[in-house]
Amino acid sequence: MDLLLHPEFEKNQTLYLSYNKFKKVDGKTVSTTAIMMAKLSGNQLTEQKDIFVAEPYQSTRRHYGAKMIFAKDGYLYFSVGERGDHEKNPQSLDNNSLGKIHRIHADGSIPKDNPFLSDKKVVPSTYSYGHRNPQGLAVNPKNGEIISHEHGPRGGDELNLILPKKNYGWPVISYGINYNGTILTNRTAKEGMEQPLHYWVPSIAPSGLAFANGNIYKGWDNNVMIGSLKYSYLNRCELVNNKVVKEELLFQNIGRVRDVRTSPDGYLYITVENPGIIYKLVPVN
């Protein structure tokens, strides 16, 4: 699902893979989101070790989340979707990893200042909850803030500022409706639940998230780049005081944009499906 290099990869050759982990229970296949740490030795993955496995396993085959980042605080953050069971998982803090964003050390151990450690029923890696299916995570290079986006149902895709111990509302509040057109909830806001920085109706099916480097892309400083699976474009969002003030649709009909990344040298790359192509974005002036 995702691939992330350790911040000191050149020294330790350590990387991380998020993937769908399967097992059989009473003859039935169930799966979950897992994070594997491994080392790249030549062209082989060695010392493979799961450092996180989300609970509970589910029989559904959707909403894994599975995006990973290293933030400026040095911790590994990653998303786990609610696996399609919105009635149970995203609002549950009772031994439930699903519909959450998590924070751990690079070796998988738990930071001592994680926000829910005082509650023994909460999975100790939990950082925030009430998420549907976050498939974008990025660190703002200006201030170190963590930004995420997640799929809404039919409408209501969200861009969120991720803060510790906050509840992002799914499915109690939402700007979307059920896929069959029925009303999911009549509330878009509730006390104690976070509002998105921005939301999309209709859904754009966001995938991939990165900040543009203003030194390379003049005029795009602090702009957020988001792929659209549904409409096959790259969405440039101008972010001012944590609000999207303008959107520009780039490369329309290029194909389903699966991921957006900023390389170490500051250039943007996008991956597009069918056929699978990686594009490098190069300014023309």
Side-chain angles (χ1 to χ4, degrees), residues 83-103:
R83 300 302 312 288
D85 189 349
H86 63 264
E87 294 293 340
K88 176 183 177 183
N89 294 325
Q91 291 296 320
S92 174
L93 288 172
D94 191 356
N95 298 312
N96 191 310
S97 307
L98 311 181
K100 316 290 192 295
I101 288 176
H102 297 265
R103 181 175 78 158

Side-chain angles (χ1 to χ4, degrees), residues 10 26 41 102 114 133 174 202:
E10 292 183 1
D26 298 328
S41 301
H102 297 265
N114 266 14
N133 188 28
S174 177

